[in-house]
Amino acid sequence: MIGAFVGRECRGVGTMEEGTFSPLTVYCQKAGEPVALRYYDAAKKKIITFTTTFKPE
């Protein structure tokens, strides 16, 4: 499972099936909000946070 977060607020969720992620829709309240992606690895029971954030236009 992958989530898109602005701060601590979850703004979108996607799943992984057969090694491919489903489309992920991210909801933003204003242009330029930094969005971080976090992936939950169920096999390892760990959350992996991507260090890069992006700012939707």
Side-chain angles (χ1 to χ4, degrees):
M1 178 173 281
I2 191 164
F5 291 82
V6 174
R8 295 176 53 106
E9 182 179 5
C10 182
R11 300 281 186 90
V13 176
T15 59
M16 184 178 201
E17 293 183 24
E18 298 179 22
T20 304
F21 282 107
S22 67
L24 175 64
T25 301
V26 179
Y27 297 94
C28 294
Q29 294 177 352
K30 60 182 178 178
E33 285 185 310
V35 178
L37 300 176
R38 296 184 187 143
Y39 170 70
Y40 177 67
D41 186 336
K44 296 180 181 178
K45 297 183 181 178
K46 290 187 177 187
I47 296 174
I48 300 165
T49 301
F50 294 87
T51 56
T52 302
T53 58
F54 63 94
K55 293 184 178 185
E57 299 297 321

